Amino acid sequence: MKSINKYIFLLFIISWSCTDDFDEINTNPNAYNDLDPSFQLAKVQLDLSGRREETWRYDLGITSSMIQHFSGSWWCQHGAQYRVVEQSHWYSLWEESYPRDAKNIQSIIDITSGDPTKVNINSAARIMKVLIYSKITDLYGDIPYTQAVKGFTDGILTPAYDQQADIYADFFKELEEAVAAFDDNQETMSSDLFFSGDLDKWRRFGNSLRLRLGFRLTKVDITEAETQVRAAIAGGLMQSNDDNAIMLHSDFSYTSTENRGNGRSQVFNASDNSEGFRLTNTLVDYLKGTGDPRLSVYGGTYTAPKGAAGRLDVSEHLQEGIVHGALWWNLWSDYGDLYDSDANYVAYIPHINKYMQPSDYVTANDAPYFHLTYAEVEMFLTEAAARGWTTDAATHWANGVRAGMQHVALYPGSPAITDTQITDFLTANPLPAAVADQIRVANEQLWVIYYLNGTEAYANYRRSGYPELVPFTNVEWYYSGTDGVMPRRFFYPEFEAQNNPVNYADAISRIGGSNNILTPVWWDVQ
């Protein structure tokens, strides 16, 4: 880990010394080809999970809250209560990803295209492009894609909005071609922070991303979904936790130019109250009901803020989730005196500390971020087997559970979940016999695996319908902003109506003429 941190520190110095070059891409064509694509790739990988501000808004405040992982924070009004308190929060991903992530990844592709010695970084960038744009389109629907971030290269300042069906078709083409193009005889990627240039892992990542996106189509085009899932399986998927697409962050606190620390952790550490974020009763009760040992890794109950004198971790004695949609000051009442199972006094628990917070493990600034995991792959294969697209659902189920419980040991200081605990869970929660129930539990497990990855949890919920969430209606004086109907997409940015009016109007016309968060995206057939 020390060598990784030393490398990331060196990368920080080099990449941020070139900040002006990155900003210059849209204005100075001569600067474009001077960028080092290997460091651009590393910068993109860090930025995807190392940026606090947009993560605070689109993920923790909206998707993770809408999917009922979190509530409590003032920021959760958007997602947990379906309210538009500040509309800009709903387009924070768009506002940051296009000029930063999409621009840099397109730059890598353009710089390296046509150079056979650069085929590996070119292929990796094409896969990363799909990862970046899949998040954007899954939240917004039709988006600028084919003509996006081509201001100076092609003079396109007002890009058309591609239809999501066409975007997905290109995703599959790009993933197939990129995976096939990797060449063990050409240059490796010296600054790859995901897989350290391991091409086999990149191939498995590309196919596993294809698997994820193939399943997106199960409601809109089941035949194409099966085609893509089968192709992903045939191409070769992640085989163990060693293949996980992870960003290993370093212990850095937030600054506006900092990307080495975990952006989500920096949100939780922005105040001594975890910024108000609490695990919901939906999540806590589900994990307790299945006897899932990840609960003690995901959340903790503490008597005081981090670093306070005399602070106790009382999680083994008190595991309660906040009512979904409630803010931390709602339904006010102290828990009171807390006793252990032998009736020994432990501590007095005031209201502010009685609900589980994101644990010290997951809120460490050097906590890893999981983009796509072997556990996720195995749960998709469980569903694929249930649908008859592959075989042996029970084995995939067990593999997915085991992998998901083992990979959380990467959180700093987290206790490893033992083989005995995993075996006990599998004994108590065997894969059901009925096909419909197999699909249900596989997607419920995906919801658990996607903790701290709200955008994927939200996308897969809309795709699968699991877990079966009770929509928010009201708590005390707070009421749903949509009469209890969960939003199905994000708002397009208001500035698009001014800066790109013709193409914006065309996109709006395809969703009923209104920039409405209740209108589903293409693959989310109602």
Side-chain angles (χ1 to χ4, degrees):
M1 183 62 72
K2 288 183 179 178
S3 62
I4 293 174
N5 288 340
K6 181 178 180 181
Y7 171 72
I8 293 177
F9 180 70
L10 177 62
L11 169 65
F12 176 83
I13 294 173
I14 295 172
S15 65
W16 280 109
S17 70
C18 300
T19 298
D20 291 341
D21 293 335
F22 287 114
D23 292 339
E24 211 174 357
I25 287 177
N26 274 343
T27 58
N28 181 6
N30 295 322
Y32 191 76
N33 291 320
D34 293 336
L35 300 175
D36 184 338
S38 64
F39 285 114
Q40 278 184 279
L41 176 64
K43 175 175 164 50
V44 169
Q45 291 172 328
L46 280 165
D47 282 341
L48 287 177
S49 54
R51 294 296 186 174
R52 185 187 79 170
E53 292 303 289
E54 72 262 26
T55 297
W56 201 328
R57 292 159 174 79
Y58 80 84
D59 192 297
L60 297 177
I62 303 181
T63 56
S64 287
S65 300
M66 205 179 321
I67 207 64
Q68 300 186 21
H69 284 163
F70 294 118
S71 201
S73 174
W74 180 92
W75 306 85
C76 295
Q77 294 177 76
H78 296 85
Q81 299 178 354
Y82 320 147
R83 298 176 65 213
V84 184
V85 181
E86 292 185 29
Q87 189 160 331
S88 63
H89 288 212
W90 293 79
Y91 50 78
S92 58
L93 177 68
W94 181 300
E95 196 170 35
E96 297 297 330
S97 282
Y98 272 112
R100 187 188 64 212
D101 308 324
K103 181 172 71 175
N104 277 305
I105 213 69
Q106 189 63 50
S107 168
I108 297 171
I109 294 170
D110 291 344
I111 290 170
T112 59
S113 290
D115 183 347
T117 68
K118 303 291 185 184
V119 67
N120 291 323
I121 193 167
N122 179 271
S123 296
R126 292 171 73 180
I127 293 171
M128 293 295 294
K129 179 178 177 179
V130 173
L131 180 70
I132 291 164
Y133 277 98
S134 64
K135 181 184 293 186
I136 301 172
T137 188
D138 286 345
L139 289 181
Y140 296 96
D142 296 354
I143 58 169
Y145 177 68
T146 305
Q147 297 181 348
V149 293
K150 294 185 177 180
F152 91 78
T153 56
D154 298 293
I156 301 173
L157 301 179
T158 54
Y161 284 55
D162 295 76
Q163 295 188 40
Q164 191 175 60
D166 297 330
I167 296 170
Y168 261 74
D170 193 67
F171 285 168
F172 297 131
K173 178 190 75 69
E174 284 293 291
L175 291 172
E176 181 170 348
E177 291 180 358
V179 168
F182 282 117
D183 189 338
D184 294 315
N185 296 314
Q186 298 299 337
E187 288 182 10
T188 59
M189 292 168 278
S190 60
S191 302
D192 168 24
L193 299 180
F194 280 8
F195 305 115
S196 299
D198 188 318
L199 298 187
D200 285 336
K201 290 184 178 182
W202 272 103
R203 293 180 179 105
R204 291 192 282 268
F205 175 43
N207 287 323
S208 298
L209 182 56
R210 187 176 186 178
L211 179 77
R212 172 195 281 178
L213 299 179
F215 267 104
R216 286 281 198 275
L217 309 187
T218 52
K219 290 200 299 186
V220 68
D221 189 342
I222 192 67
T223 301
E224 182 64 11
E226 180 179 357
T227 296
Q228 294 303 329
V229 168
R230 286 183 180 274
I233 294 170
L237 302 169
M238 290 179 173
Q239 299 174 353
S240 73
N241 280 338
D242 288 340
D243 290 332
N244 288 347
I246 307 173
M247 184 64 243
L248 295 175
H249 285 283
S250 301
D251 187 9
F252 288 92
S253 300
Y254 168 76
T255 67
S256 61
T257 58
E258 181 58 69
N259 64 358
R260 291 169 293 177
N262 185 308
R264 286 160 178 79
S265 300
Q266 291 170 350
V267 172
F268 299 132
N269 295 326
S271 74
D272 61 8
N273 185 29
S274 295
E275 198 54 31
F277 285 94
R278 299 292 185 269
L279 277 65
T280 68
N281 56 351
T282 310
L283 178 60
V284 171
D285 292 349
Y286 180 84
L287 295 176
K288 288 169 69 174
T290 58
D292 195 320
R294 282 171 290 192
L295 177 57
S296 297
V297 177
Y298 286 177
T301 310
Y302 307 103
T303 60
K306 279 185 180 181
R311 180 178 188 255
L312 298 176
D313 180 346
V314 297
S315 305
E316 66 174 306
H317 309 300
L318 181 59
Q319 296 179 329
E320 288 191 7
I322 193 170
V323 172
H324 174 249
L327 305 185
W328 68 264
W329 53 82
N330 287 138
L331 306 170
W332 189 280
S333 67
D334 290 354
Y335 181 86
D337 292 331
L338 176 65
Y339 296 88
D340 65 18
S341 58
D342 295 323
N344 297 309
Y345 177 79
V346 176
Y348 186 88
I349 309 297
H351 174 85
I352 195 172
N353 294 329
K354 72 179 182 181
Y355 298 122
M356 297 193 82
Q357 305 176 32
S359 73
D360 288 353
Y361 315 123
V362 304
T363 60
N365 285 330
D366 56 347
Y369 183 76
F370 299 92
H371 287 281
L372 201 160
T373 65
Y374 170 60
E376 174 185 346
V377 166
E378 286 290 357
M379 286 305 161
F380 277 131
L381 290 175
T382 302
E383 179 175 346
R387 293 180 178 274
W389 301 348
T390 189
T391 60
D392 208 352
T395 297
H396 291 305
W397 165 256
N399 288 344
V401 167
R402 187 171 300 277
M405 292 188 179
Q406 289 175 338
H407 78 224
V408 299
L410 287 177
Y411 288 114
S414 170
I417 295 173
T418 67
D419 288 341
T420 298
Q421 288 175 295
I422 297 172
T423 299
D424 288 346
F425 179 91
L426 289 169
T427 300
N429 300 275
L431 185 69
V435 167
D437 287 332
Q438 290 178 358
I439 293 174
R440 172 181 57 81
V441 297
N443 284 283
E444 288 173 348
Q445 278 300 303
L446 283 169
W447 176 69
V448 174
I449 291 165
Y450 288 144
Y451 178 71
L452 296 173
N453 189 351
T455 53
E456 279 308 311
Y458 178 50
N460 196 59
Y461 168 78
R462 287 176 290 157
R463 192 276 301 184
S464 70
Y466 297 113
E468 296 178 348
L469 301 175
V470 177
F472 173 78
T473 53
N474 70 285
V475 59
E476 292 189 335
W477 56 88
Y478 290 98
Y479 291 84
S480 165
T482 60
D483 294 325
V485 180
M486 183 185 290
R488 309 304 291 194
R489 61 177 289 273
F490 275 28
F491 289 110
Y492 288 132
E494 293 170 302
F495 54 72
E496 279 290 288
Q498 298 174 331
N499 298 340
N500 193 6
V502 174
N503 292 312
Y504 171 82
D506 183 47
I508 289 294
S509 71
R510 296 198 292 264
I511 55 173
S514 173
N515 192 9
N516 191 335
I517 57 176
L518 300 183
T519 304
V521 300
W522 162 73
W523 51 254
D524 182 18
V525 177
Q526 299 297 291

